């Protein structure tokens, strides 16, 4: 699986959009981009995933660049409950169930 | 749905003792994963099962660790003998064959080996 690079930490004001970047310059054509988050003392939680088109669900939006070498997770209206570590993971879907978690981005929502 | 259930939530034991962690996946899910999380190594996959069969145990640290899945609704992770460096939070996750690629994590078991 391709490696990912994320900032160690970020702050965002409550109510504003939180934009979390992820670089995955070695991503190959069959690899998806996944985002999970881990709120303190809880298990990780799936947020969203995509291949090359932008994706949106009730939690977030995922914007993937045209060359697929980077992506941005957007939390449109951050709340204090969004304070967590956010993991960007690249993984081929077919024949591979493994998720390899890196160090992630620690997002702090400021009141 | 109750989600993934893990027991115990906290375990404190002494070095050399046997430790058994338990997991009940979400009903209908056919993949089960065991992860370990420490400050030094982060979150790492130990082993996963598909349809009760171990598929990849390359993350199991050594022979002291073993995992079983006797049926679709129960799995155990055993450490024998335990060592202080095994202290970590152990997470179990499960995945449905029908509902996309999302892994659902349990609340974890915090293990402390003295």
């Amino acid at each position: 699986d391709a490696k990912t690079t994320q900032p160690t930490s970020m702050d965002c004001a409550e109510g504003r959009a939180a934009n979390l970047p992820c670089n995955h310059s070695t991503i190959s054509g069959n690899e998806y981009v996944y985002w999970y988050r881990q709120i303190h003392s809880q298990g990780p939680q799936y947020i969203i995933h995509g291949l090359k088109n932008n994706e949106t669900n009730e939690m977030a939006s995922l914007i993937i660049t045209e060359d697929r070498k980077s992506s941005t997770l957007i939390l449109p209206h951050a709340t204090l409950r969004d304070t967590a570590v956010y993991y960007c993971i690249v993984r081929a879907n077919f024949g591979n169930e493994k998720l390899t978690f890196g160090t992630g981005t620690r997002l702090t929502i400021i009141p | 749905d109750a989600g993934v259930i893990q027991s115990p939530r906290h375990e404190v034991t002494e070095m050399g003792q046997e430790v058994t962690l338990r997991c009940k996946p979400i009903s209908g899910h056919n993949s089960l994963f065991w992860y370990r999380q420490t400050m030094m190594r982060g979150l790492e996959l130990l082993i996963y099962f598909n349809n009760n069969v171990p598929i990849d145990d390359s993350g199991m640290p050594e022979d002291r660790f073993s995992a079983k899945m006797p049926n679709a609704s129960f799995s155990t992770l055993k450490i024998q003998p335990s060592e202080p460096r095994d202290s970590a939070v152990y997470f179990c996750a499960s995945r449905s064959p029908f509902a996309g690629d999302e892994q659902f994590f349990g609340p974890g078991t915090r293990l402390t080996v003295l």
Side-chain angles (χ1 to χ4, degrees):
Chain A
D1 296 332
K3 288 192 174 182
T4 62
T5 303
Q6 300 177 252
T8 303
S9 63
M10 293 180 62
D11 293 339
C12 178
E14 186 179 16
R16 304 294 295 270
N19 296 277
L20 292 94
C22 180
N23 286 325
H24 30 79
S25 58
T26 60
I27 192 170
S28 38
N30 65 339
E31 288 182 316
Y32 286 69
V33 180
Y34 288 80
W35 284 84
Y36 278 73
R37 74 179 181 183
Q38 187 174 22
I39 296 170
H40 182 61
S41 297
Q42 297 182 21
Q45 176 190 24
Y46 167 85
I47 301 173
I48 199 168
H49 76 281
L51 182 62
K52 54 183 177 181
N53 297 323
N54 298 336
E55 302 287 344
T56 295
N57 62 20
E58 65 279 4
M59 289 182 67
S61 295
L62 174 60
I63 308 298
I64 303 174
T65 58
E66 193 168 339
D67 63 9
R68 303 207 323 124
K69 293 184 177 182
S70 66
S71 60
T72 301
L73 179 75
I74 301 172
L75 308 178
H77 305 287
T79 70
L80 297 179
R81 289 176 294 181
D82 292 321
T83 292
V85 177
Y86 288 76
Y87 298 97
C88 170
I89 301 164
V90 168
R91 200 201 82 178
N93 261 10
F94 182 76
N96 179 11
E97 299 252 19
K98 296 173 69 169
L99 289 174
T100 303
F101 288 82
T103 54
T105 295
R106 182 172 298 277
L107 175 67
T108 303
I109 306 302
I110 309 296
Chain B
D1 197 324
V4 175
I5 299 172
Q6 292 188 245
S7 64
R9 293 293 309 278
H10 301 273
E11 176 81 28
V12 179
T13 190
E14 293 189 344
M15 182 175 62
Q17 296 298 304
E18 177 180 296
V19 175
T20 300
L21 311 182
R22 297 173 176 79
C23 176
K24 177 178 170 56
I26 294 172
S27 177
H29 286 196
N30 72 332
S31 296
L32 184 138
F33 307 80
W34 281 101
Y35 291 85
R36 178 174 68 175
Q37 186 169 36
T38 62
M39 289 293 293
M40 292 295 293
R41 300 176 64 90
L43 192 61
E44 50 185 348
L45 178 68
L46 300 178
I47 185 172
Y48 77 91
F49 297 82
N50 270 354
N51 298 316
N52 311 337
V53 176
I55 302 300
D56 186 343
D57 65 354
S58 60
M60 295 286 264
E62 49 197 271
D63 291 345
R64 296 185 298 107
F65 285 68
S66 63
K68 293 183 179 180
M69 193 164 186
N71 57 62
S73 59
F74 184 65
S75 177
T76 59
L77 178 68
K78 185 176 293 186
I79 308 173
Q80 166 63 18
S82 58
E83 297 182 1
R85 60 189 168 128
D86 302 329
S87 297
V89 181
Y90 291 81
F91 289 103
C92 176
S94 69
R95 176 184 170 274
S96 166
F98 307 114
D101 207 34
E102 178 181 355
Q103 290 186 20
F104 293 80
F105 283 76
T109 295
R110 181 173 295 276
L111 173 65
T112 302
V113 183
L114 303 175

